[in-house]
């Protein structure tokens, strides 16, 4: 027998790559998509919550904190709108997608449970679809508390968007 | 399914008549009802899928061609309130994927996954097949006669559409291929009323309108809103990235609008009268599988939700959901024992005693077809679904 019948390297060749009829998705220019803007989100000072907790033990600051909470609630709505702008749908850069997902998760976790419903209502149809895409992306990589928060959001988004919204997450070729 | 009779089951609702193959209920499988008649062989499949259906209605008789998810087409004739099976057409060797019946010329065209299509004509009361040379190397998926019935279009998984016409000189059916721009399986077809334009929805997420003008058998068509120059195979509309597989397409009675349903649970209407503008409507329900224009503005669509829905298109940007067309059963809440109540709570986390869907169909609707009425004002339409039932609905304009 000749030598080359022993080798089975040919089995590792992906023949589908060489099929001339192979279906390729259209590549839209995704290089310009950068995902939500971090600088804009800093405006809503989500990191300042940690300072508040240290200070809140002092009784005189309780009323101050309540005012800030209201402000914070309103700010969160705007933060949600801002973070859902400019989704990195067409880009192939995984870093951009991961960064966007991280930012969205941060905003979603900062919401109080009672405010989630209001947050979802403030979005339009496309916004709810996009939110659902981020929620499922977040489910893929669960961290400490993320699944619980995401499940709450999922419930509210489902009542707003229906099963059609989830179907669109599944059929979207280009997703966040 | 080997029953020779179909019995009408009136459900007491004015909206639809339901027809099931007759026979005692032998068992209930998780998705449907499986019936076996006394004189038939045991059918392995418990899911009866009526994939293709076509009507032939005249004042004198009503006939129906249906295929129960195998390689046989059964012809039924209406006999009072029941349907009698008159013939079986058994030329195909693969599963039948499309049937269309041309009412004026009384011919049936069938296509199957065996890459063949046959045109059947009635000779001495028996249907005789004629092979069509479609020249495809993959399965055929759908077939439709043109409005004038002098040609038909056949969509296939070979990424092309075969437009077939009869050539008198050699007494055979020839085909011409449309391959331009199609990148994947053609899932659905519909003809424009002018007998030349053809809409095709495919699994490459796009919907296209082609010209299927055959010089040998027809005159040059006049210009339409879709375009003026229409040589064979010309691409007049390419609706890219509709969101999912385009399961069904339907032209409006005038031919100016094109409605399509996709797997991303959305309905899109492309309006040629307003610059081919597309108006999408994303629904919050499961995907729709079939769409039908019943009047110049009203659209009926049905799919995995097992009920038909009505939509209305009034102009660009004005596409809206109107209502669900199925009337739910009046739930007869009998007395439930406490044991049953807790058993339901334990098993299903709900204390409803509902074993089936609150709808006439118990499984996804796969096809909607015109039953009676003119193209511009459809009176009745029929739906078939994966539960093996066919329902005739009346549309109230």
């Amino acid at each position: 027998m000749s030598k080359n019948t022993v080798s089975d390297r040919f089995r590792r060749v992906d023949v589908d790559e060489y099929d001339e009829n192979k279906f390729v998705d259209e590549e839209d220019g995704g290089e310009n998509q950068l995902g939500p803007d971090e600088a804009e989100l800093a405006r809503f000072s989500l990191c300042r919550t940690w300072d508040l907790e240290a200070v809140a033990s002092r009784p005189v600051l309780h009323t101050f904190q309540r005012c800030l909470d209201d402000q914070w609630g309103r700010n969160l709505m705007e933060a949600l709108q801002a973070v859902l702008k400019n989704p990195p749908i067409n880009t192939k850069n995984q870093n951009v997608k991961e960064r966007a997902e991280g930012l969205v998760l941060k905003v979603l976790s900062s919401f109080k449970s009672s405010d989630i419903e209001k947050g979802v209502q403030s979005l339009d149809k496309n916004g709810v679809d996009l939110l659902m895409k981020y929620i499922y992306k977040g489910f893929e990589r669960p961290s400490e508390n993320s699944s619980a928060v995401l499940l709450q959001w999922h419930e509210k988004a489902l009542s707003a968007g229906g099963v059609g919204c989830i179907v669109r997450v599944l059929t979207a070729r280009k997703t966040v | 399914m080997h029953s020779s009779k179909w019995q009408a089951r009136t459900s007491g609702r004015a909206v639809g008549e339901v027809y099931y193959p007759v026979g005692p209920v032998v068992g209930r499988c998780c998705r449907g009802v499986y019936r076996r008649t006394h004189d038939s062989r045991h059918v392995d499949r418990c899911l009866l899928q009526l994939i293709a259906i076509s009507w032939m209605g005249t004042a004198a008789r009503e006939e129906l061609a249906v295929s129960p998810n195998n390689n046989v087409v059964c012809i039924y004739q209406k006999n009072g309130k029941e349907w009698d099976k008159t013939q079986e057409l058994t030329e195909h060797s693969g599963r039948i994927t499309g049937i269309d019946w041309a009412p004026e010329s009384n011919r049936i065209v069938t296509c199957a996954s065996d890459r063949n299509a046959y045109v059947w004509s009635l000779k001495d009361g028996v249907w005789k097949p004629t092979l069509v040379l479609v020249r495809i190397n993959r399965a055929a998926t759908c077939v439709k006669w043109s409005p004038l019935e002098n040609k038909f279009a056949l969509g296939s998984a070979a990424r092309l559409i075969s437009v077939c016409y009869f050539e008198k000189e050699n007494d055979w059916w020839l085909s011409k291929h449309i391959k331009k721009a199609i990148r994947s399986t053609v899932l659905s077809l519909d003809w424009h009323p002018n007998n030349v334009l053809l809409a095709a929805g495919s699994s490459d997420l796009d919907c296209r309108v082609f010209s299927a003008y055959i010089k040998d058998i027809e005159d040059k068509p006049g210009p339409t809103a879709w375009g003026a120059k229409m040589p064979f195979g010309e691409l007049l509309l390419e609706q890219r990235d509709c969101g999912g597989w385009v399961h069904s397409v339907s032209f409006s009675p005038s031919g100016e609008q094109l409605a399509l349903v996709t797997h991303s649970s959305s309905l899109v209407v492309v309006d040629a009268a307003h610059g081919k503008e597309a108006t999408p409507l994303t629904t919050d329900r499961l995907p729709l599988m079939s769409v039908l224009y019943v009047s110049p503005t009203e659209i009926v669509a049905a799919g995995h939700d097992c009920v038909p829905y009505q939509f209305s298109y009034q102009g660009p940007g004005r596409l809206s959901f109107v209502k669900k067309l199925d009337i739910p059963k009046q739930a007869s809440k009998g007395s439930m024992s406490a044991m049953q109540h807790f058993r339901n709570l334990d098993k299903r986390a709900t204390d409803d005693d509902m074993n089936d869907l609150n709808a006439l169909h118990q499984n996804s609707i796969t096809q909607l077809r015109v039953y009676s009425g003119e193209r511009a004002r459809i009176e009745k339409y029929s739906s078939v679904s994966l539960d093996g039932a066919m329902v005739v609905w009346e549309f109230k304009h």
Side-chain angles (χ1 to χ4, degrees), chain B residues 149-287:
Chain B
E149 293 166 20
N150 50 0
K151 55 185 174 177
F152 64 86
L154 180 108
S156 71
R159 298 134 40 113
L160 52 85
I161 302 172
S162 241
V163 181
C164 308
Y165 60 100
F166 191 66
E167 208 207 353
K168 280 212 180 56
E169 291 158 18
N170 295 333
D171 195 31
W172 61 5
W173 286 85
L174 283 185
S175 67
K176 282 183 133 183
H177 286 172
I178 299 178
K179 278 196 239 210
K180 205 191 259 192
I182 304 179
R183 291 178 300 146
S184 187
T185 306
V186 175
L187 294 173
S188 55
L189 292 169
D190 194 31
W191 286 93
H192 187 282
N194 75 352
N195 209 55
V196 170
L197 298 179
L198 182 64
S202 90
S203 66
D204 58 3
L205 322 178
D206 304 335
C207 174
R208 299 179 178 87
V209 173
F210 290 103
S211 156
Y213 165 61
I214 308 255
K215 203 163 44 167
D216 303 331
I217 55 168
E218 55 195 354
D219 304 322
K220 211 160 169 196
T224 66
W226 296 98
K229 285 200 165 291
M230 289 178 270
F232 182 80
E234 181 78 1
L235 182 63
L236 296 159
L237 167 78
E238 191 170 23
Q239 192 63 30
R240 306 296 310 272
D241 203 3
C242 302
W245 286 14
V246 181
H247 287 301
S248 181
V249 287
S250 174
F251 272 109
S252 65
S254 62
E256 307 254 292
Q257 286 89 29
L258 176 67
L260 51 120
V261 280
T262 72
H263 202 71
S264 61
S265 300
S266 58
L267 165 70
V268 181
V269 176
V270 182
D271 199 341
H274 294 95
K276 298 189 190 168
E277 191 182 323
T279 308
L281 174 67
T282 50
T283 71
D284 56 355
R285 298 175 185 93
L286 290 177

Side-chain angles (χ1 to χ4, degrees), chain A residues 93-164:
Chain A
N93 187 349
Q94 284 306 318
N95 289 336
V96 175
K97 295 201 179 196
E98 273 171 43
R99 202 173 54 85
E101 172 59 28
L103 283 171
V104 172
L105 207 48
K106 203 157 119 182
V107 174
L108 294 185
S109 319
S110 323
F111 267 74
K112 274 198 283 229
S113 302
S114 44
D115 288 337
I116 292 183
E117 186 154 2
K118 260 187 288 175
V120 170
Q121 313 255 337
S122 72
L123 297 171
D124 62 346
K125 261 197 168 190
N126 291 335
V128 174
D129 283 349
L130 188 56
L131 175 67
M132 197 57 113
K133 288 201 177 107
Y134 274 118
I135 291 176
Y136 274 91
K137 188 94 200 291
F139 280 144
E140 283 171 33
R141 266 317 149 97
S143 67
E144 261 275 330
N145 202 24
S146 69
S147 287
V149 163
L150 286 176
L151 276 171
Q152 287 179 312
W153 277 93
H154 185 277
E155 186 198 342
K156 299 288 181 258
L158 180 61
S159 55
V163 279

